[in-house]
Amino acid sequence: MSTIAVKSAQLRSGPALPYAEAGYPEGLPVVFVHGLADSWWTFEPLLRQLPAAVHGYAPTQRGHGDAERPADGYRPEDFANDLVEFLDAAGIPRAVLVGASSGGVAARMVAGSHPDRVAGLVLVGVPATLADKPGITALWEKVQALEDPVPRAFVEDLLGDLASRPLGRGLLATMAEENLKVPARVWQETMRGLLEADLAATLRGILVPTLVIWGDADGVLPRADQQLILDAIHDSTLIVYEGAGHLLYWEEPERVVQDVVGFAARVLPARPGGGGPSA
């Protein structure tokens, strides 16, 4: 089990972001990017299991968790800019980016715009588009009506709907608390930004190796949605987790770690004297 350290990164043009760090300092750098309303805690099950071959980072995005909450800056391009500045602040010249759910939008935008900083891209339960999905439309109607404090029942119902298998009560309780830290305006502005953006355009121009991981019991993203990603990114591969839902990184954390580490070992050379694929 890896030890997790929580630190803070001051971005040049934006807020300070807390981030979790785990694994071997000289290991392959892998940066995990969370989605709407989550925080670095969403990757705690993964960070705990990182082998010595990997140096994992998981920043909390602006407005989320314990990060600073600026008045604006919640469009996908804002989160993508923050991610590049996080790489700079944390001293990461080049990394594998692992985007979960809507966090994959910012991750793929960085992969397309800064290929020199991204050795590979992993998209875990990430949408190709959002506007064509009835479940997302229904969620948007609820999010638009949110007021502070955000109701606990809303958060708990949402988390319960996204998983296809029973999850640990401790994990669900922790993530519910993290979601409840997010003000209603951040829920609304972040989701509005995702719905108004041309998400299909964010899939163009990605030239780095890409691994797509999807659960076939995902009630939000159909298989056809994932095919759009595969069709748009030339060097992309799909791994299907049978029986897993949208939160497959909670449902099968050991397998996700194994797949991410194996992919990182293929696309990133080991650092001299550091942890390599066999460490």
Side-chain angles (χ1 to χ4, degrees), residues 32 45-51 54 241 252-263:
F32 296 87
L46 307 183
L47 295 171
R48 289 284 182 202
Q49 299 182 51
L50 290 183
V54 169
Y241 286 22
E252 297 195 41
E254 298 91 347
R255 185 177 177 188
V256 172
V257 167
Q258 183 179 25
D259 286 333
V260 167
V261 171
F263 176 77

Side-chain angles (χ1 to χ4, degrees), residues 141-190:
E141 292 176 356
K142 295 178 182 178
V143 167
Q144 286 179 292
L146 287 179
E147 296 180 353
D148 292 320
V150 172
R152 178 176 292 274
F154 165 76
V155 166
E156 292 179 343
D157 288 347
L158 176 61
L159 292 175
D161 289 343
L162 292 177
S164 70
R165 298 167 177 160
L167 298 171
R169 294 177 63 183
L171 175 62
L172 280 175
T174 296
M175 290 316 305
E177 291 299 328
E178 292 299 292
N179 282 194
L180 287 169
K181 292 178 181 178
V182 181
R185 66 178 178 87
V186 174
W187 280 88
Q188 292 156 355
E189 291 305 310
T190 301

Side-chain angles (χ1 to χ4, degrees), residues 12 79-89 110 113-114 117:
R12 286 192 310 275
F79 291 117
N81 290 337
D82 282 357
L83 183 53
V84 175
E85 292 195 13
F86 171 77
L87 295 176
D88 294 339
V110 174
S113 62
H114 292 75
R117 307 299 299 274

Side-chain angles (χ1 to χ4, degrees), residues 8 30 32 63-64 92 105 111 125 127 131 158-159 180 183 197 207-208 212 245 277 279:
S8 180
V30 176
F32 296 87
H64 294 66
I92 307 169
V105 174
L158 176 61
L159 292 175
L180 287 169
L207 303 177
V208 303
V212 179

Side-chain angles (χ1 to χ4, degrees), residues 3-158:
T3 300
I4 298 175
V6 181
K7 303 180 180 180
S8 180
Q10 178 60 58
L11 306 189
R12 286 192 310 275
S13 60
L17 304 183
Y19 69 96
E21 191 174 353
Y24 185 58
E26 297 302 321
L28 304 174
V30 176
V31 178
F32 296 87
V33 187
H34 70 78
L36 171 63
D38 288 338
S39 70
W40 74 258
W41 274 99
T42 200
F43 299 115
E44 193 269 351
L46 307 183
L47 295 171
R48 289 284 182 202
Q49 299 182 51
L50 290 183
V54 169
H55 189 180
Y57 305 80
T60 294
Q61 299 187 56
R62 63 168 64 204
H64 294 66
D66 295 322
E68 294 179 5
R69 311 193 194 307
D72 53 21
Y74 298 100
R75 299 168 301 173
E77 55 265 40
D78 297 316
F79 291 117
N81 290 337
D82 282 357
L83 183 53
V84 175
E85 292 195 13
F86 171 77
L87 295 176
D88 294 339
I92 307 169
R94 194 161 179 256
V96 169
L97 299 184
V98 181
S101 191
S102 61
V105 174
R108 74 195 192 207
M109 290 175 74
V110 174
S113 62
H114 292 75
D116 57 317
R117 307 299 299 274
V118 182
L121 178 66
V122 183
L123 302 176
V124 187
V126 173
T129 62
L130 282 177
D132 61 341
K133 295 175 175 58
I136 298 300
T137 301
L139 176 61
W140 175 228
E141 292 176 356
K142 295 178 182 178
V143 167
Q144 286 179 292
L146 287 179
E147 296 180 353
D148 292 320
V150 172
R152 178 176 292 274
F154 165 76
V155 166
E156 292 179 343
D157 288 347
L158 176 61

Side-chain angles (χ1 to χ4, degrees), residues 211-258:
L211 176 64
V212 179
I213 303 176
W214 171 75
D216 67 1
D218 191 326
V220 180
L221 308 178
R223 174 66 173 79
D225 185 79
Q226 301 300 283
Q227 189 62 45
L228 293 174
I229 297 176
L230 297 171
D231 293 343
I233 303 175
H234 173 67
D235 188 4
S236 60
T237 304
L238 173 68
I239 298 178
V240 177
Y241 286 22
E242 294 185 5
H246 189 65
L247 300 176
L248 67 168
Y249 42 92
W250 293 356
E251 296 176 37
E252 297 195 41
E254 298 91 347
R255 185 177 177 188
V256 172
V257 167
Q258 183 179 25

